[in-house]
Amino acid sequence: MVGRRTVLAAALGLAAAACAAPGPEARPEGRPGPDAPSAAPPTAPSAAPTPTQSPVRPPVPPTREQVLARCAGQVPQQWGTDLPGVTATVPGGALALTFDACGGPGGDGYDAALIGTLRRLRVPATLFLNARWVDANPGPAAELAADPLFELGNHGTAHRPLSVTGRSAYGITGTADPAAAYEEVAGNRAKLTALLGRAPGWFRAGTAHYDEVAVALVGQLGEQVAGFAVNGDGGATFTPAQVARTVAAAPPGSIVISHFNHPDAGTAEGYAQVLPGLLDAGQRFVRLSG
């Protein structure tokens, strides 16, 4: 989970320098006009052949071996939550509310009150699910996947900081090498693809920490890396009043990070307090993909 801090950033884009990604219908025929000779029935023109169109298929991500080959020998120089290729803001002045479900020791709970508030007020959000949370909450996970109000994102397989050298954050050891980073992304990607019927478009690592080689690795697998500009609930440690004040003060365009796996935290009550006023003031809310 993310520590108690607020980071303002405007980092857009996907691939870091290291580990870079690889690079008519047929017109209907007319009928004979009313002046056609009456001595013989009009002859229908030959049908024009319909062009054959190949179905549009999504790009095939590189294999594990290809990804690891591209990362071989890359030594990261950066580490943190605010790196090139990590998106922390959205355009247009809307707020993008994002909620993490960390799973395992990070918490397997389900904050039904928070999700109920978002549904009642029709506030869209992006929910980042860890593989262990999905396994512990199959019913809620399926319900959230079927709800168009929400977009589901990839929160990793074991909820680890995404590193190719084993860097740690908040006492949580990161993935040890490119192979481990690959599995952290790809393992839960496969689980969410089975749940959604399509691959998730966004990834956020456990603790939201990355190095630049790992950021580019995520891009190769077809996902964008979500950061944050405002920490809305201090890693599920804020009181309701703190949550409400922090979210109310979020600058336009911020991605706000909070959690929905700690029903005993102040997150649900804080959002229930702040959202009606923001909506009355005309604040818009969007999912990360729009």
Side-chain angles (χ1 to χ4, degrees), residues 99-255:
F99 298 90
D100 292 357
C102 305
D108 282 331
Y110 173 52
D111 198 338
L114 172 63
I115 297 300
T117 294
L118 297 175
R119 284 172 166 158
R120 175 173 56 84
L121 298 176
R122 303 305 300 165
V123 173
T126 302
L127 310 178
F128 284 92
L129 276 55
N130 178 259
R132 297 174 303 179
W133 189 91
V134 174
D135 291 341
N137 297 274
E143 291 177 4
L144 295 171
D147 192 335
L149 188 65
F150 303 122
E151 172 185 22
L152 301 191
N154 183 351
H155 198 34
T157 304
H159 193 260
R160 293 191 176 279
L162 204 68
S163 166
V164 297
T165 60
R167 293 286 295 269
S168 299
Y170 307 125
I172 301 175
T173 302
T175 48
D177 51 34
Y182 177 92
E183 296 302 332
E184 180 68 11
V185 180
N188 196 38
R189 177 178 174 85
K191 184 180 292 291
L192 292 179
T193 298
L195 179 66
L196 294 166
R198 62 187 183 281
W202 289 85
F203 176 86
R204 174 182 282 149
T207 76
H209 277 69
Y210 312 86
D211 63 44
E212 75 273 20
V213 180
V215 168
L217 182 151
V218 176
Q220 288 188 63
L221 293 178
E223 299 182 28
Q224 300 182 70
V225 178
F228 63 97
V230 174
N231 188 337
D233 68 353
T237 66
F238 284 2
T239 66
Q242 288 175 311
V243 172
R245 286 196 302 269
T246 302
V247 176
S254 296
I255 294 176

